[in-house]
Structure formats: C-alpha cells, structure tokens
Amino acid sequence: MFDGQAFSKVIVRFQGLRSNRSLAQAIGVSEGTFSRWRRGDVVPKRESWPGLAAALGLSFDELVDALQREAGGERAEAERGADRRALREIDEHLAEIRRRCNGIEAVVASLK
C-alpha cells in the first residue's frame, strides 16, 4: 500500500527536533529500526503504525492521510510525466501536419 519513501517523507516532515532515539523509544522499537524507517529502507509493520503516529504527534487517521498524500504525490508526478510525453508526441504530429500543409500550399500557389 505505502512504500518506504512515503513513510520516510512523513517521518522527516513531522519529526521536528526530536531525536531518532527518543522517537524509537516512544514507539517501542530499536533506534536502528526507526532509522531504517526514516531512510525509507523498510516499511514499518502495521502494528507499529499507531505508535509511530502518536510519537509524531498525529492521530492514526492523520498518519494515514499524510501517507496517502505522499503516495498520491508520486503517482501524480508519474501521471504528469506521462501527460508531458503525450503532449510532446502531439506537438510532433502537429509539426508534421504543418509541414505537409505548407508543402500543399506551395503546390497550390504554383498552380495559380
């Protein structure tokens, strides 16, 4: 559902000045585990999500909403990239149509 990068971005955004150690202790995981979450190397197990939310000062629903925004942002960027590629292809086709029209206009003009 959510990848490690979404968790990483949410953790970094809401961690504030709290240390990895203090947050890990509040959640009940090792500092190494929390560091892997923060780097995006590992997705926290679902049973850790409520503790993570509380440690970050969020409700469970706020954590899920933030994760959805992060995941949605990545999807939206991928979709924008696909849209840009499609627009480039359309521009290339239009340029070819214009070249052909200019050629036809030149032929018509020479016939007058």
Side-chain angles (χ1 to χ4, degrees):
M1 178 179 203
F2 302 115
D3 65 8
Q5 291 306 308
F7 275 95
S8 174
K9 290 175 183 176
V10 170
I11 290 169
V12 168
R13 184 178 338 137
F14 291 101
Q15 183 172 4
L17 298 175
R18 292 167 289 187
S19 69
N20 287 1
R21 176 176 291 175
S22 67
L23 288 172
Q25 289 173 343
I27 299 165
V29 298
S30 71
E31 187 175 350
T33 295
F34 182 80
S35 293
R36 286 190 292 280
W37 295 353
R38 191 176 189 283
R39 287 192 308 267
D41 296 340
V42 177
V43 174
K45 294 179 182 174
R46 283 192 182 255
E47 57 265 17
S48 300
W49 293 14
L52 175 60
L56 294 174
L58 304 171
S59 70
F60 182 81
D61 289 340
E62 289 170 331
L63 173 65
V64 172
D65 288 345
L67 290 167
Q68 287 175 333
R69 280 192 301 278
E70 290 300 334
E74 292 167 10
R75 280 195 297 276
E77 183 58 37
E79 290 170 3
R80 282 191 295 274
D83 289 345
R84 284 190 293 272
R85 286 188 296 278
L87 287 172
R88 276 195 302 271
E89 289 178 22
I90 291 168
D91 284 342
E92 290 169 7
H93 289 295
L94 287 173
E96 179 61 25
I97 290 168
R98 285 187 198 104
R99 281 191 293 275
R100 290 182 184 184
C101 287
N102 290 338
I104 292 169
E105 288 173 356
V107 169
V108 169
S110 71
L111 295 174
K112 290 184 181 180

